[in-house]
Amino acid sequence: MSVNTFGHILRFTTWGESHGPAIGAVVDGCPPGLEIDEALIQPFLDARRPGQSKFTTQRQEPDQVRILSGVFEAPDGVRRTTGTPISLMIENVDQRSKDYSDVAKAYRPGHADYAYDAKYGFRDYRGGGRSSARETASRVAAGAVARLVIDDVSILGYVSEIGGDTIDMANFDPAEIGRNPFFCPDAKAAARWEKIVDDARKSGSSVGAVVECVATNVPAGWGAPLYGKLDADLAAAMMGINAVKGVEIGDGFAAARLTGEQNADPMRPGEHGPDFLANHAGGIAGGISTGQPVTVRVAFKPTSSILTPQPTVTREGEATELFTKGRHDPCVGIRGVPVVEAMMALVLADHKLLHRGQCG
Amino acid sequence: MSVNTFGHILRFTTWGESHGPAIGAVVDGCPPGLEIDEALIQPFLDARRPGQSKFTTQRQEPDQVRILSGVFEAPDGVRRTTGTPISLMIENVDQRSKDYSDVAKAYRPGHADYAYDAKYGFRDYRGGGRSSARETASRVAAGAVARLVIDDVSILGYVSEIGGDTIDMANFDPAEIGRNPFFCPDAKAAARWEKIVDDARKSGSSVGAVVECVATNVPAGWGAPLYGKLDADLAAAMMGINAVKGVEIGDGFAAARLTGEQNADPMRPGEHGPDFLANHAGGIAGGISTGQPVTVRVAFKPTSSILTPQPTVTREGEATELFTKGRHDPCVGIRGVPVVEAMMALVLADHKLLHRGQCG
Amino acid sequence: MSVNTFGHILRFTTWGESHGPAIGAVVDGCPPGLEIDEALIQPFLDARRPGQSKFTTQRQEPDQVRILSGVFEAPDGVRRTTGTPISLMIENVDQRSKDYSDVAKAYRPGHADYAYDAKYGFRDYRGGGRSSARETASRVAAGAVARLVIDDVSILGYVSEIGGDTIDMANFDPAEIGRNPFFCPDAKAAARWEKIVDDARKSGSSVGAVVECVATNVPAGWGAPLYGKLDADLAAAMMGINAVKGVEIGDGFAAARLTGEQNADPMRPGEHGPDFLANHAGGIAGGISTGQPVTVRVAFKPTSSILTPQPTVTREGEATELFTKGRHDPCVGIRGVPVVEAMMALVLADHKLLHRGQCG
Amino acid sequence: MSVNTFGHILRFTTWGESHGPAIGAVVDGCPPGLEIDEALIQPFLDARRPGQSKFTTQRQEPDQVRILSGVFEAPDGVRRTTGTPISLMIENVDQRSKDYSDVAKAYRPGHADYAYDAKYGFRDYRGGGRSSARETASRVAAGAVARLVIDDVSILGYVSEIGGDTIDMANFDPAEIGRNPFFCPDAKAAARWEKIVDDARKSGSSVGAVVECVATNVPAGWGAPLYGKLDADLAAAMMGINAVKGVEIGDGFAAARLTGEQNADPMRPGEHGPDFLANHAGGIAGGISTGQPVTVRVAFKPTSSILTPQPTVTREGEATELFTKGRHDPCVGIRGVPVVEAMMALVLADHKLLHRGQCG
């Protein structure tokens, strides 16, 4: 059991390595009859695509998605999901034929190299193989399908902090997110981050980031307590993204410093269910959505690929030093935004169907 | 699908409500031949048991566990697991017959009341029903079984922060954890926390807490990438505990403020695999254990049950106010320690078997 | 992983051994709001209960079921399912304290004794332990819950053949099934079977049986192709019952002897979807229900417990002989009827919810 | 949830439609380090491949399999499984552009057309879409991977009956199976079947078949009681194959006509565990393998595609008649042999890993 499948009802399975011929996802359990087309998936892949600014890796991948199954022209002449598995494939194009003898022989600190060898006995070392962030393209494609299932829900992800420099919520402008290469909703912060990330890039260093994601218009009642809680599934979804080391729902760790009075989310009568006067809980209580915005914060560590040589060991257990020659993101959290959004969509869509199955 | 089961290979299913006749867990997939007895499970339940100091709820529950199946006297005369499901039952004893008409009619802010009603149409309102932290006793019992599977691994949980007041690592003494009612490894902090928690208790308020947990002697190679990563499973396990709002692995959110050089975990040759010179990663890379200590930090919000009346709505959607009359923990994070340890044990034991199944 | 759970959405987990303190089932994923009570479950257990005639084992078990969780008085004053796990427990009462030293030391041919030892290293040998047909009481209790989910569907099981003697469909009378101890719809066959089974009983021998089960009013559209096909799930459900060696859907093996013309199920316009002119397919096409009656046939081998000594080996691998001294059913297929019905109910209820989840 | 995944530990997910661009399977959980290559998979696909004799459909598909992931050159220079998902793809080549307007508008009796429409609202009607037996090529490819996991086990499938005409076990010669187009181990029966199948083909009719499959050298101890029993999993695996209506383990329905004495499988001391003096049980007791050959019999109905027009209804519910113009197998059971073998391999390999995970 290698658990390359995620989800309870809407399940997707990903496959593929960084430098293999292709990567892909099989999305199973999607309701039939949803309008779908490559053109509805591609924009999300484009948002994640590398090589679009100097602040991300220069690997050039068109990331063109192909739908190989599960879609057919419905009687109304529109291409729709049929209810059978949707196979999505993305060919790898820019597998630069570089010399991998260094990483074949020794373990890059901070990477999964040693862990994979310890587990499997050997590993596909080219570009990180299966543990490469390249695999997240498959998640983004699957997430685009999930969005079709929850078309009433809005999902907004953005970077709120890079290298310890945080946005000012007073400057928050959703329209700004698409205008800069950092998915940053604060134009002033974006300007500052240019220097931070560029300095890291030039010096062969890297910086961390925090990504936030908010889903609005999620109805109350989604979530499967006690071991498929909405927040627990979100935590797994986010912590499973490459380079993620922390996840918060609502106030997260800050809630641990509040009193019960400060942390309360009182209610008053509203038009559709209660109106909440605060949302410390991040839209989830007892593992079930409350109808408030579902909010999650995700910490990305700095990219482990840096130019400073690090002490490490070879496969044979001898001391050596390694640094990363290849192309890489100086701040891997930036391109994490479309991935965080995709995982949010996948968890929510799954729970919509899960809820419908049990509660009708 | 209501997902009251956790785990891939070593799976446990819990059942029961706060004020029903009993609660319990069925642990399935446990290897055969492990020595087991109620006496090996009871101490962990005793550590979580309420009513042992004035700092926790005064509900008096003996929490006596009974093993109903899956155990038999082996040819060597020792009671051992047989490989069949282990049914664990704990009777509820102190279901104080109080007046629940308030909570039957209206929703306590911060609790799961409204969410359960929105999902299921009605709810067992007595003491929180299924969403009560009482259910965590089942997890602790299941966790005690899991520990038998990973008897080489040591798991140490403790409270590192209450009400914003943190321990001083210079004072860290594991032996201290069992000497105070706070699972606190710093005697000086424990002394300060007495006042913090007692003040909260007396004023009918509540405070949050942070729990840390470290597992040592975990071999390299456990974890099932990409959607059963060890850290993702730990995140789900922890975020699913009542009142938890944040989870960190290793440096967590602090890693987002480091550079790649600061966050590196260099290696040098060691006796059994590499020796790591740091552990920012918390013992997990690429979702697989590295052989270093596995470290997790968990944020507990302040108990939502407080004496200050809060605006809320009734089931009929009318405005009202509620405060919590009943017994409760002024700091629910304290008794979270045995639960965090149990979930750590369950995830690790599951991944030990998962790894053995695939990689032999 | 020991897989003591069955079902995709409506899932039940059973636990318990023949001579342990109790057996039970946890039913998870049941929709909320269904009227439920021990009194709605007990009749199905009573139908399976041993010791009711001389044709079944004389073990006396009241098989009283207790609901321990998942049920609460709804606002309308009726006890209803809450959507949380339903824990069902049945105490073992008549664990006659007999001498088990024979079976502890050697393997009964035809029983699971050797296989359990080979798998687990040792076994609970008292009355067959976990492999005893006693466990099927848990399935029957779970099946009674499943029936609440599909209250529109009628399920009718009966014995169609004992010891090679088959019923005459010309005599088929559903009302007769409850009037004889054989669940036989043909009064004349029932009369003949008295002698067949009694002869087997008196001579310490045993006979096999075939059970048929028909579910009517199943709507078209249930079934999850390709690996959760309705017929595949039914096959697993039935083949997993103790002593079952064969399963047929519709015409089964007889279909292999028909031509395409003979086996066709032509259609004509009907009031609600097509009317089928035949039902060779047993109500399932492509793994999905067609709206016709779902029909299954199940072969039970003769009970392996017989008085004639059989050559076998001891745990130490030495030659010996064994015969079964204890109480047993001379024809285990008879009491298989309530179990087959329960599994039919569980599979259909599961697929109702599965369909609702994906297809709304 | 659409359940296009099979297996507990070694899991495969298939995707694709008869007339889409490709079909495929993702095999997850395969142990690392197994030698693998397209050349090791292709022979099994070739055995199932259509168009190789006049007795099977004339659709011309090269069925060339490509491995897209999960395989890498190991340090010893051999291509080996890495432990990550193995993506297998087979392009559809001969999707003859025929006129599908008939089947688009009306339901072919005996096919899944109506059931798919009832479930999903519409369907990919080209060549049966997802419900086409073409999908079984994916299973055969996945099964070839499974064989690598259980390389000690021998799996032998063959046709034992066509159109009611059975083989004579006295003539049984395994070498004969590959010499005739019927996978028939009895040369005389093969000669008779030529006429039976050819007559059916010429008259546009079809005939049914029975396939038998025997796995030898399966060690005792595989199987996961009680709901992952080896025989229950085999029953699901076989009943889920297109056109299958019945499954037997060991003596199957014949066992229901035996007495306990006749059905006994006595044991005597053997070199490696007991020697069994008979194998009525088909190598499985209590859901666990006994070390004897695992035997299964599978009934295939006659192909539903026949030239005789059948009454049916249109999507709009009006009466019409349909017959199948396209290419089809006059006896679909013949090409079922490689599929039955593949499913046997997949179930056994899964249970080998399952057993190793729990029992070490």
Side-chain angles (χ1 to χ4, degrees), chain B residues 110-130:
Chain B
H111 284 277
D113 299 351
Y114 168 66
Y116 267 70
D117 249 26
K119 184 174 190 69
Y120 299 116
F122 78 112
R123 78 202 126 95
D124 179 348
Y125 45 74
R126 301 166 306 164
R130 179 73 179 149

Side-chain angles (χ1 to χ4, degrees), chain A residues 20 39 54 68 77 87 120 140 155 166 170 184 192 204 214 253 268 289 292 335 344 348 352 356:
Chain A
K54 64 181 175 182
L68 296 177
S87 178
Y120 300 115
V140 169
I155 295 173
T166 61
C184 178
R192 298 193 303 270
V214 181
F253 278 84
R268 64 181 173 201
S289 62
Q292 289 190 285
R335 291 203 296 133
M344 173 72 92
L348 291 175
K352 175 181 177 172
R356 189 165 72 182

